[in-house]
Amino acid sequence: MLTDPNALFVDKNFLIIDDFQGMRTLMREMLKTFGVKNIDTVTNGIEAIASLEKNKYDVVLCDFNLGTGKNGQQLLEEAKHRDLVGLSTAWVIITAEKTADMVFGAAEYMPDDYILKPVNEATMRHRLEKVIARKTVLVNIEKAMRVKNHARVVALCDELMASNKNSAAPNGPGVR
């Protein structure tokens, strides 16, 4: 039985944050080829925060350098601090920056992935498939946390840990 290669993407809400129109268009078109229908784009941190306040996104694709104002790393920190993104929201920093300081600085705020430009369709699809799969298992835990059902949170976390112990992943959960 063949499965739809775009099934993972179809019902997801994406936010693209990039100050360069050409990059926003390129990423939007890539996402459309994956079957994504819900895509918002913004050009800077102020617009991004406003959009995150109004909408729930499954995936945020954020450039590191956003021109004047906050960079992608600072934006991620603010979004987490203000609870605008949850456990199940994937935050992917996409940038041409390769300096060690920038990479380690971005890692401190724990983006879910970090992709270097230029990015092609195959790389984008592969990386998004992996990050969405990792985040999907956290949806129910996040829902239980939001309604303060602590017993459910613990039970779901126990299930997740048990399933990870039984899987063939020698490096444990969350290891990329």
Side-chain angles (χ1 to χ4, degrees), residues 56-60 84-91 112 135 142:
K56 182 191 180 310
Y57 294 100
D58 300 295
V59 181
V60 176
L84 299 175
V85 294
L87 290 175
S88 63
T89 304
W91 191 288
D112 296 294
K135 288 300 193 164
E142 183 175 3

Side-chain angles (χ1 to χ4, degrees), residues 87-102:
L87 290 175
S88 63
T89 304
W91 191 288
V92 179
I93 292 184
I94 302 176
T95 186
E97 288 289 324
K98 302 182 214 186
T99 65
D101 287 345
M102 202 288 304

